C-alpha cells in the first residue's frame, strides 16, 4: 500500500465528522465484492487472458499439516483482501490468527466458513506462527516483523519498511522468484525472515515491462501513473464516495483524508516530496525497479497522480529499448507472460480501464504501439491497468507466501 496520507490542512469548507461506519462498509461492499465484476462486459472478445495465470498456486485449504498463518492489519482494506485471496486460492493452513490494533481487538471476522475473534497485535502474537501477512503500516512492520522473524516466522510485509534493505528480498513472483529461493517453510536455509512486497505501482508496471526487458533490454522507462483511492486505504475510498455525493448534492465537500477535493478532480500524489522534486511514490518506482531487476543501468523517471478512481491504478509507460522490437513481437511477449492479459482493440477503441482491472488477478495491457519519436523499433508505448488492492498488494503477498511452501 502507498504512503499513509498526511493530515489535511485547513479547508475552505466546514469539516464534517468522520464518515459513519455504514459509509465505510458501503465502500468496502461496493468495491470489494467478489462478484462485483460480473456485471461488466467490457472485455469479451478483445481480451486475451488465462485463468489463474499468475505464479504457482498451491491449493489445499484448511489442512492439519498446513502452516500456521497470521494476518497483521486485518481491519484494513488490504487485510480484508488477504482473506479473500487466501480463500480464492485455497491457500493451505492449519491455523489462522487475525491481528489488529487494540481498537479492533475483540471484534469478529468471518474467514473460510469460520468466525475468528481479532486479537491485539503484541510481541507474543507470533509464537508458533509459520507465515504472517503484514499490512499494518510501516511503523508497525518495523516493530513487529523482526520480532516475528526471530521466532522463526516468515513475514510477507506489504509496507515500505524493508523494501530497500539489502538483506530483504523484494519479490514479484512472476518476475524475480529466485530472490527468495532460500526462503522455504520447510527445507530452506532460512529459518524465518522477512520478504517485502513492492509498491503497487512498481508491481503493476513491472508485470508488463519485465517480459520486454528480458527479451530486448530496456534502456529508459518513463511512467506516468493514475492512482486510485484504494492506495490510500479504506477511509480514502469512503471519502471519495462521500465527496461525490457532496458535490452532486451541492453540499460542502468533506475533506478529512486529503487536503484537496478528490471527487471530480485529480492532483499530484500525496506522498511527501523529496529534495530532487520527485515525491516518495515516484522514487519508489525508481529504486524498487533497480532492486528487482538487479541493475541500476536502466534510467527511470515517474510522475504519480491521484485520480478519482476507486481501486485500480492505470499507468502510461514509455520505453526506450536496447534492441529493436516490433509491436507484433511485443504483443506476443505479453500474450505469453504470466499474470498479464491484453486489451488492445484499435478498431473498436477498446483498451484497458480501471474497471476492467478491478477485482481481477491479472494486469491488463493495451495501447501497444511504436514510439514514433524514436528511430526504428527502439521505442514502445504501453497503457497498463491493475487492481491496486489485489495484484498491487494482497494477491502478490499471497503468491509470495505460496513460494514459501
Amino acid at each position: 500500500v502507498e504512503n499513509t496520507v498526511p493530515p489535511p490542512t485547513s479547508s475552505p469548507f466546514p469539516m464534517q465528522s468522520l464518515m459513519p461506519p455504514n459509509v465505510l462498509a458501503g465502500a468496502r461492499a461496493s468495491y470489494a465484492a467478489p462478484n462485483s465484476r460480473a456485471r461488466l462486459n467490457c472485455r469479451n472478445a478483445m481480451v486475451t487472458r488465462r485463468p489463474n495465470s499468475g505464479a504457482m498456486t498451491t491449493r489445499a485449504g484448511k489442512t492439519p499439516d498446513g502452516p500456521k498463518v497470521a494476518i497483521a492489519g486485518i481491519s484494513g482494506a488490504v487485510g480484508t483482501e488477504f482473506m479473500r485471496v487466501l480463500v480464492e486460492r485455497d491457500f493451505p493452513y492449519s491455523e489462522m490468527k487475525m491481528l489488529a490494533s487494540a481498537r479492533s481487538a475483540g471484534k469478529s471476522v468471518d474467514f473460510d466458513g469460520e468466525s475468528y475473534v481479532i486479537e491485539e497485535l503484541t510481541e507474543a502474537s507470533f509464537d508458533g506462527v509459520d507465515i504472517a501477512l503484514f499490512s499494518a503500516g510501516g511503523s508497525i512492520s518495523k516493530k513487529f516483523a523482526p520480532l516475528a522473524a526471530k521466532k522463526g516466522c516468515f513475514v510477507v510485509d506489504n509496507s515500505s519498511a524493508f523494501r530497500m534493505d539489502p538483506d530483504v528480498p523484494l519479490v514479484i513472483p512472476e518476475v524475480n522468484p529466485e530472490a527468495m529461493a532460500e526462503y522455504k517453510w520447510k527445507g530452506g536455509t532460512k529459518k524465518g525472515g522477512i520478504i517485502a512486497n513492492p509498491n503497487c505501482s512498481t508491481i503493476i508496471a513491472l508485470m508488463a515491462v519485465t517480459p520486454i526487458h528480458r527479451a530486448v533490454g530496456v534502456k529508459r522507462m518513463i511512467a506516468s501513473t493514475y492512482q486510485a483511492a484504494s492506495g490510500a486505504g479504506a477511509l480514502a475510498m469512503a471519502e471519495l464516495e462521500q465527496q461525490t455525493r457532496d458535490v452532486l448534492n451541492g453540499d460542502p465537500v468533506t475533506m478529512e483524508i486529503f487536503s484537496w477535493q478528490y471527487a471530480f478532480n485529480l492532483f499530484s500524489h500525496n506522498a511527501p516530496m523529496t529534495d530532487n522534486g520527485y515525491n516518495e511514490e515516484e522514487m519508489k518506482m525508481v529504486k524498487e525497479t533497480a532492486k528487482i531487476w538487479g541493475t541500476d543501468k536502466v534510467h527511470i523517471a515517474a510522475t504519480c497522480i491521484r485520480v478519482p478512481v476507486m481501486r485500480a491504478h492505470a499507468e502510461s509507460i514509455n520505453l526506450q529499448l536496447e534492441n529493436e522490437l516490433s509491436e507484433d513481437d511485443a504483443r506476443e511477449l505479453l500474450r505469453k507472460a504470466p499474470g498479464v492479459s491484453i486489451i488492445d482493440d484499435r478498431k473498436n477503441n477498446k483498451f484497458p480501464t480501471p474497471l476492467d482491472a478491478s477485482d481481477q488477478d491479472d494486469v491488463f495491457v493495451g495501447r501497444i504501439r511504436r514510439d514514433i519519436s524514436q528511430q526504428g523499433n527502439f521505442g514502445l508505448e504501453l497503457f497498463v491497468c491493475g487492481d491496486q488492492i489485489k495484484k498491487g498488494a494482497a494477491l502478490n503477498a499471497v503468491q509470495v507466501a505460496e513460494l514459501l511452501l
Side-chain angles (χ1 to χ4, degrees):
V1 177
E2 302 154 19
N3 280 2
T4 303
V5 179
T9 57
S10 59
S11 164
F13 301 101
M15 287 289 192
Q16 298 181 11
S17 61
L18 192 66
M19 276 72 69
N22 64 307
V23 174
L24 179 56
R28 286 176 172 164
S30 298
Y31 300 101
N35 296 319
S36 62
R37 298 293 298 113
R39 63 183 181 273
L40 298 175
N41 59 2
C42 302
R43 290 185 295 275
N44 294 335
M46 83 280 287
V47 181
T48 301
R49 65 177 293 122
R50 298 164 303 283
N52 300 318
S53 58
M56 175 191 70
T57 304
T58 303
R59 298 186 176 277
K62 190 169 186 179
T63 175
D65 56 356
K68 297 177 181 178
V69 178
I71 299 176
I74 191 64
S75 57
V78 176
T80 301
E81 197 74 10
F82 278 149
M83 291 192 292
R84 287 186 52 210
V85 173
L86 288 168
V87 171
E88 287 174 359
R89 298 178 73 85
D90 291 327
F91 187 88
Y93 68 98
S94 58
E95 297 180 15
M96 185 65 62
K97 184 180 288 190
M98 308 298 185
L99 304 170
S101 66
R103 185 174 60 253
S104 298
K107 298 178 182 178
S108 296
V109 293
D110 293 330
F111 171 75
D112 202 16
E114 297 185 35
S115 181
Y116 291 80
V117 175
I118 298 175
E119 303 175 28
E120 181 180 357
L121 177 59
T122 69
E123 294 183 4
S125 295
F126 302 98
D127 293 345
V129 173
D130 300 309
I131 298 173
L133 304 174
F134 269 60
S135 189
S139 61
I140 297 298
S141 291
K142 288 178 181 178
K143 179 178 180 180
F144 290 103
L147 292 173
K150 287 180 181 179
K151 295 182 178 184
C153 178
F154 289 98
V155 174
V156 185
D157 181 44
N158 197 53
S159 80
S160 61
F162 303 101
R163 288 175 186 158
M164 299 314 298
D165 186 325
D167 296 323
V168 174
L170 182 65
V171 176
I172 304 171
E174 298 91 339
V175 173
N176 64 330
E178 68 281 354
M180 56 173 291
E182 297 180 349
Y183 291 70
K184 295 293 181 183
W185 171 45
K186 293 181 178 180
T189 58
K190 299 284 187 180
K191 306 301 179 185
I194 301 170
I195 304 104
N197 228 27
N199 185 48
C200 48
S201 299
T202 305
I203 293 173
I204 292 166
L206 295 195
M207 287 290 293
V209 178
T210 298
I212 296 165
H213 177 56
R214 286 176 174 162
V216 297
V218 170
K219 187 175 182 179
R220 183 171 183 254
M221 177 170 74
I222 307 298
S224 299
T225 73
Y226 312 94
Q227 297 184 219
S230 57
L235 289 177
M237 296 168 73
E239 181 158 289
L240 175 56
E241 184 178 348
Q242 182 61 47
Q243 282 193 6
T244 302
R245 293 194 186 100
D246 293 341
V247 173
L248 293 177
N249 291 334
D251 296 332
V253 177
T254 302
M255 290 196 293
E256 296 187 343
I257 302 300
F258 293 111
S259 303
W260 310 268
Q261 178 177 313
Y262 196 5
F264 306 99
N265 192 23
L266 52 82
F267 48 86
S268 181
H269 193 282
N270 48 283
M273 297 297 295
T274 67
D275 292 339
N276 66 3
Y278 289 81
N279 61 45
E280 289 183 359
E281 183 78 2
E282 293 157 352
M283 292 309 299
K284 286 177 186 177
M285 295 190 71
V286 175
K287 295 175 181 178
E288 292 176 19
T289 298
K291 180 174 179 177
I292 292 167
W293 279 355
T295 179
D296 58 3
K297 295 182 180 180
V298 179
H299 302 289
I300 302 168
T303 300
C304 296
I305 303 297
R306 186 75 74 185
V307 298
V309 169
M310 198 56 71
R311 65 171 281 161
H313 290 353
E315 303 186 19
S316 174
I317 299 174
N318 176 275
L319 302 174
Q320 183 180 0
L321 307 174
E322 294 279 0
N323 298 285
E324 289 191 286
L325 182 70
S326 70
E327 293 176 359
D328 289 341
D329 288 342
R331 286 190 190 89
E332 188 61 23
L333 287 171
L334 292 166
R335 187 171 288 110
K336 294 177 180 178
V340 173
S341 290
I342 297 175
I343 306 179
D344 199 43
D345 184 357
R346 294 180 182 179
K347 181 179 179 180
N348 295 298
N349 200 22
K350 296 294 185 181
F351 304 105
T353 70
L355 285 178
D356 292 313
S358 292
D359 204 45
Q360 299 298 312
D361 288 3
D362 280 6
V363 167
F364 292 79
V365 185
R367 299 300 313 276
I368 303 166
R369 64 203 188 278
R370 184 177 72 86
D371 178 359
I372 59 174
S373 72
Q374 300 187 52
Q375 295 294 323
N377 288 321
F378 286 96
L380 195 67
E381 298 266 12
L382 307 172
F383 190 71
V384 184
C385 290
D387 189 308
Q388 180 275 328
I389 303 179
K390 206 162 196 186
K391 181 54 186 173
L395 173 60
N396 197 82
V398 173
Q399 289 175 314
V400 167
E402 289 172 352
L403 292 177
L404 293 168
L405 302 178

